[in-house]
Amino acid sequence: MIDQKRYRKIKRAAEKCFNCFATRNPLKILNKLEVPCSIIDLEGGLNGFTHMNQKGEPWVYINKRYRHDDLSVRIIAAHELGHILLHSESDVNMFEEDTDFSNKEYEADIFVMELMPKIQPYYRDYTTFSPEELRKYIYSWIC
């Protein structure tokens, strides 16, 4: 779990996106931020990832198996946008096991929920979900 101060920072980042760009569509936000987003073949069950080039500029990649499902693509794009906005100052390596990586994944998932409130559950406040429960809930929306 994260503390309330960090949660408020994540919530403000999502609100700022909506206020600045007048949309909750992460693909449109990435476009307005001039962050390229490519749909490619990814192996190993990877839904998407963000690569920072040598100049420190992000590029989002989304697994092509979701190319026909707009909602799945937007959820994955929102997660990656969360990483860009919240974690750009640090190196996130999804291929190494560490707690910092898990916390960053959880924060990116919270960003998804705040940017895209239509997917929030009606039966329970998502902020009471453990990181694993939130991850499973978000995955339930991805076809």
Side-chain angles (χ1 to χ4, degrees):
M1 303 299 264
I2 61 170
D3 63 35
Q4 283 300 309
K5 183 178 177 183
R6 187 67 183 156
Y7 168 75
R8 284 190 301 272
K9 182 178 179 182
I10 297 166
K11 185 178 178 87
R12 277 193 308 274
E15 289 170 355
K16 188 174 181 181
C17 281
F18 177 68
N19 293 334
C20 288
F21 302 111
T23 183
R24 293 193 179 279
N25 184 328
L27 295 169
K28 290 181 180 180
I29 295 168
L30 286 167
N31 187 39
K32 289 181 182 189
L33 291 172
E34 298 181 0
V35 174
C37 184
S38 298
I39 308 286
I40 64 170
D41 190 22
L42 295 174
E43 297 179 14
L46 201 57
N47 293 327
F49 70 96
T50 299
H51 170 73
M52 302 297 254
N53 68 18
Q54 291 178 338
K55 295 179 183 177
E57 301 164 332
W59 192 303
V60 172
Y61 296 92
I62 297 174
N63 196 318
K64 76 175 187 178
R65 74 173 169 247
Y66 302 114
R67 69 183 175 274
H68 300 297
D69 180 39
D70 185 55
L71 181 59
S72 293
V73 169
R74 285 187 289 128
I75 290 170
I76 296 164
H79 180 90
E80 297 307 322
L81 177 60
H83 280 305
I84 292 166
L85 297 176
L86 302 169
H87 308 132
S88 61
E89 75 286 346
S90 60
D91 184 29
V92 178
N93 185 344
M94 66 190 143
F95 302 109
E96 292 179 7
E97 290 293 324
D98 65 35
T99 11
D100 196 38
F101 170 74
S102 298
N103 289 337
K104 289 177 180 179
E105 288 300 305
Y106 183 48
E107 291 177 357
D109 287 343
I110 290 170
F111 182 84
V112 171
M113 299 301 284
E114 291 299 326
L115 184 66
M116 303 176 69
K118 288 185 179 181
I119 70 167
Q120 290 183 10
Y122 63 89
Y123 58 88
R124 181 175 167 195
D125 179 1
Y126 87 87
T127 62
T128 65
F129 287 10
S130 70
E132 296 78 21
E133 289 172 322
L134 183 56
R135 171 55 45 116
K136 285 179 186 175
Y137 178 78
I138 289 174
Y139 270 63
S140 74
W141 282 90
I142 298 174
C143 296

